[in-house]
Amino acid sequence: MSTLTWENLTVPAPGTYNIDVTHTHIGFVAKHMMFTKVRGYFGGFSGSVTVGENPLESSAELTIQANTIETGMPDRDNHLRSDDFLSVDKFPEITFRTTRVVGHSGSDFTVVGDLTIRDVTKEVELNVEYGGVGTNPWGVQVWGFSITTEIDREQFGLTWNQALETGGVLVGKKIKIEIEGEANPAA
């Protein structure tokens, strides 16, 4: 296994690592009717992380197939794919590319990058928890990560909503994004 000791962390050796789609979950949480949460995920995506000699100089990119959004309710999923929300026929991909790593404390890193949804690009800050590195039972080096952030969906043109008789709106503006994943060496 090829690793590097950096600031008391054992990190993957410099190089490019692919996100392991079979061991990665890209989820989100949105408020519904102001008082409950709806959870969903994207099933189709690909990406990679390039670990730098100095891990603070690492970079990452992610491409999500927008039409793979799932919440467990076909009618809601179709509405989320429609022009009211993701407009997947016009904008089939959601992308993220890092612009910089702005700091870290132990295994927690702050990463900034460009998120593009519906051809609208906004800078977002990710909280990245590095989970560690090891070798799986098939002899492949893998390393894990957890990522969280929160975005305002309306900044990306996702403005559809419905007023409630009791006050408030049907769908909250803030969307929490949660990613749990693994990466392994690119072939």
Side-chain angles (χ1 to χ4, degrees), residues 42-126:
F42 290 93
F45 54 88
S46 63
S48 64
V49 178
T50 299
V51 176
E53 291 286 338
N54 175 346
L56 295 178
E57 296 172 357
S58 299
S59 62
E61 60 182 47
L62 175 68
T63 301
I64 299 170
Q65 301 307 312
N67 67 344
T68 66
I69 192 169
E70 296 286 337
T71 65
M73 294 292 299
D75 288 343
R76 179 173 49 222
D77 297 342
N78 288 332
H79 190 204
L80 291 171
R81 293 181 189 111
S82 78
D83 289 342
D84 284 343
F85 288 97
L86 293 175
S87 192
V88 301
D89 291 335
K90 293 178 196 154
F91 309 105
E93 296 179 339
I94 297 168
T95 62
F96 175 82
R97 286 180 180 39
T98 57
T99 55
R100 62 196 180 282
V101 180
V102 296
H104 83 100
S105 175
S107 60
D108 295 326
F109 292 79
T110 302
V111 175
V112 174
D114 292 330
L115 177 63
T116 303
I117 302 172
R118 291 178 58 128
D119 273 355
V120 176
T121 301
K122 297 288 180 185
E123 186 174 85
V124 298
E125 185 176 284
L126 308 179

